[in-house]
Amino acid sequence: MEQTKVEKKGNPLGYRPIGVLLGQFALPAIISMLVNSIYNIVDQIFIGQGIGYLGNAATTIAFPIVTIILAMSTLLGAGGSAYAAIKLGEKREEDAEKTLGTVFILTLISSAVVMVLGFLFMTPMLKIFGATVNTMEYARQYTSIILIGTPFNMLSVVLSNMSRTDGSPALSMYALLVGAVLNTILDPIYIFVFHWGVSGAAVATITSQIISAVVLVVYFLKKGKNMRLRRKTFRLDREICVRALPLGISSGITQVASTILQVVMNNSLVYYGNQTTVGGDVALSAMGIVNKISMILISICIGIGIGSQPILGFNKGANQPKRVRKTYLLAISAATVVSILGWLACQIFPGQILSLFGTQDIEFTQFAIKCLKIYMLGIFTAGFQVVSTSYFQSTGQPLKASVLSMLRQLLLLIPLILILPLTFSLDGILYAGPIADVASAVIVSLFVVYELRKLNKVCSASEA
């Protein structure tokens, strides 16, 4: 019999209905992930309206740097959050609080390193990321300002993860939502009123990140429920680093893979685009918009996965396998529905979706519609894959989570982008997307079937 009679004075993660908990934790996480995506998408929309496709191409070129920052943030935030959740499930609150302090210090150190290296190697990095003579100056302006905001960007992502584990998922949402609203207000002012161009979009973004970070830091200094930022915990704990960081590796790998993918794709789009009537800059800009649309759908699925993590981790630590299984299956179902709806929208309404990013010439629009319909053809499999990776991460299986994180982008999509264009030119890049999506879904399903069989045995044993 499932352990439903857990002491009501304990952590609600151990006794409240799974559906209620998943809604409580996943909805704020989804909104938080969407807000994080919106920072870049809003920039893309206003830059498209105010500057044109060269400005959008520049933000696409700078995007790998954004994903590098996000990789470090998710490595620390997801790892620390998963480890703290397990410790709370084991009723070891002091260890959870030490985890918060360790992760906070690591975030400050990492952000300083990323910012310094970014400025030192900016020009060669942008060239590697696909900058051309036409787009280099725009990319340099945008990237310089984004790098200045690195510490605040990383703190907002890391602490939003930790606040969910602390039992305050709504705070994570509100902190990032305030920043997103501010970004949306400042973007048109800086771009159209002050005429700051892509620099204005970047200033709006980092201003918003500063606000989000401050809100979260104040919470953990004064109002944390199970964890607080205290002077005695402001130190690096070696054991926590060794045990917590591996749990975040899969999330970090996902973002690193995104960075490598973006570099390979940007250069391939420019190279093969210049061999067609489409042109490299147009191909780069169009695919940049498609990737932002994809990011929205993936963000919702990641939000569901993140929302499930505290529930999975706590109940894993509390030895409640039935609640672990129910959480996983419910999260997969929700994410799959989202993926299918997003896939249908991209296939039925591509023109309407793309129109949000500005009115361009007919050649650009036609190619962008083609990109959206073909590249997103396999997106219906995304939810299943994302939630499965989150499950393995949350239940203390970092090796499996890491393999699945690398699977779609690093092991399948990048090789396909390099191989298919040799025969199919620019179209080969587009078809690489759905082929990688479907192939990775098949492989992930093998991991999932084995895991569910093992989990079912544990549940049966607990009833005996």
Side-chain angles (χ1 to χ4, degrees):
M1 181 177 179
E2 185 181 352
Q3 299 177 29
T4 55
K5 296 182 180 180
V6 177
E7 180 66 39
K8 299 301 182 182
K9 293 181 181 179
N11 196 311
L13 290 171
Y15 63 81
R16 291 195 70 186
I18 297 299
V20 174
L21 284 172
L22 190 59
Q24 178 187 349
F25 280 82
L27 184 59
I30 289 168
I31 294 174
S32 297
M33 290 302 302
L34 285 174
V35 166
N36 218 34
S37 300
I38 284 169
Y39 280 134
N40 297 296
I41 292 168
V42 168
D43 287 350
Q44 196 106 29
I45 291 172
F46 285 116
I47 288 171
Q49 300 282 356
I51 300 169
Y53 74 85
L54 286 178
N56 272 334
T59 60
T60 301
I61 292 161
F63 194 64
I65 294 177
V66 176
T67 57
I68 289 171
I69 295 170
L70 191 56
M72 295 299 300
S73 305
T74 52
L75 168 65
L76 297 170
S81 176
Y83 187 72
I86 292 172
K87 291 303 169 186
L88 290 174
E90 295 172 348
K91 301 188 181 304
R92 297 173 65 178
E93 288 81 4
E94 186 176 343
D95 287 344
E97 193 165 86
K98 287 180 181 178
T99 303
L100 173 65
T102 296
V103 168
F104 186 85
I105 297 298
L106 283 174
T107 301
L108 295 180
I109 295 171
S110 301
S111 62
V113 171
V114 171
M115 184 166 53
V116 170
L117 291 178
F119 276 109
L120 287 175
F121 301 103
M122 184 182 301
T123 298
M125 274 197 311
L126 293 178
K127 288 180 179 179
I128 292 171
F129 295 162
T132 64
V133 174
N134 295 329
T135 57
M136 174 59 84
E137 188 53 36
Y138 285 127
R140 194 195 308 275
Q141 292 172 20
Y142 188 82
T143 303
S144 297
I145 297 171
I146 290 297
L147 283 172
I148 293 172
T150 301
F152 303 100
N153 188 355
M154 290 187 63
L155 279 174
S156 64
V157 174
V158 170
L159 294 183
S160 67
N161 275 276
M162 297 301 293
S163 68
R164 281 187 287 269
T165 295
D166 192 50
S168 299
L171 173 72
S172 171
M173 176 186 70
Y174 291 135
L176 295 179
L177 191 58
V178 167
V181 171
L182 183 61
N183 185 50
T184 305
I185 294 171
L186 293 177
D187 255 331
I189 294 174
Y190 291 161
I191 293 174
F192 299 112
V193 178
F194 292 173
H195 303 290
W196 288 354
V198 293
S199 296
V203 171
T205 296
I206 68 166
T207 302
S208 307
Q209 291 166 349
I210 290 170
I211 298 299
S212 298
V214 168
V215 170
L216 288 161
V217 169
V218 169
Y219 166 79
F220 278 113
L221 284 173
K222 297 185 176 181
K223 298 182 179 180
K225 296 178 180 178
N226 301 293
M227 299 179 285
R228 292 276 185 96
L229 284 171
R230 307 179 195 272
R231 183 177 298 177
K232 65 179 182 180
T233 62
F234 281 156
R235 63 186 182 86
L236 296 179
D237 187 297
R238 184 179 179 278
E239 182 180 356
I240 291 173
C241 291
V242 170
R243 295 183 178 275
L245 294 187
L247 297 178
I249 285 176
S250 61
S251 294
I253 287 174
T254 299
Q255 297 302 328
V256 170
S258 295
T259 304
I260 298 171
L261 170 61
Q262 197 70 50
V263 172
V264 172
M265 181 174 285
N266 286 357
N267 284 280
S268 297
L269 287 167
V270 171
Y271 179 78
Y272 289 103
N274 284 333
Q275 294 181 13
T276 68
T277 56
V278 173
D281 288 335
V282 169
L284 190 64
S285 180
M287 186 57 81
I289 293 173
V290 171
N291 280 329
K292 297 299 188 299
I293 295 167
S294 173
M295 185 193 302
I296 294 176
L297 290 174
I298 298 297
S299 292
I300 297 174
C301 297
I302 291 174
I304 295 172
I306 289 174
S308 70
Q309 284 182 339
I311 311 169
L312 290 167
F314 183 92
N315 286 287
K316 170 73 173 178
N319 193 28
Q320 297 198 64
K322 276 196 168 184
R323 289 178 65 81
V324 171
R325 180 179 62 185
K326 188 172 182 179
T327 302
Y328 176 47
L329 293 176
L330 189 58
I332 275 186
S333 301
T336 299
V337 169
V338 170
S339 299
I340 292 173
L341 291 175
W343 171 74
L344 288 172
C346 291
Q347 300 306 312
I348 299 172
F349 308 111
Q352 292 88 333
I353 294 172
L354 289 165
S355 66
L356 295 172
F357 295 86
T359 303
Q360 309 290 347
D361 58 62
I362 188 65
E363 290 81 8
F364 178 92
T365 302
Q366 288 177 344
F367 180 72
I369 289 175
K370 181 180 178 180
C371 279
L372 183 59
K373 294 187 72 171
I374 295 176
Y375 192 74
M376 301 284 277
L377 202 56
I379 198 69
F380 63 89
T381 65
F384 165 70
Q385 299 180 63
V386 168
V387 171
S388 295
T389 302
S390 292
Y391 166 82
F392 288 114
Q393 181 182 42
S394 305
T395 54
Q397 302 180 69
L399 181 59
K400 290 180 181 178
S402 299
V403 170
L404 297 186
S405 295
M406 292 188 290
L407 182 60
R408 191 255 180 188
Q409 297 183 101
L410 207 59
L411 302 181
L412 292 173
L413 186 52
I414 291 174
L416 287 169
I417 288 175
L418 294 172
I419 294 169
L420 291 182
L422 298 175
T423 303
F424 302 104
S425 189
L426 191 58
D427 285 350
I429 299 174
L430 307 186
Y431 282 103
I435 294 172
D437 286 332
V438 174
S440 58
V442 171
I443 297 171
V444 170
S445 66
L446 299 178
F447 281 79
V448 170
V449 169
Y450 175 79
E451 183 66 21
L452 284 176
R453 286 176 179 172
K454 185 174 69 174
L455 195 54
N456 287 337
K457 288 181 180 179
V458 175
C459 290
S460 298
S462 68
E463 292 178 341

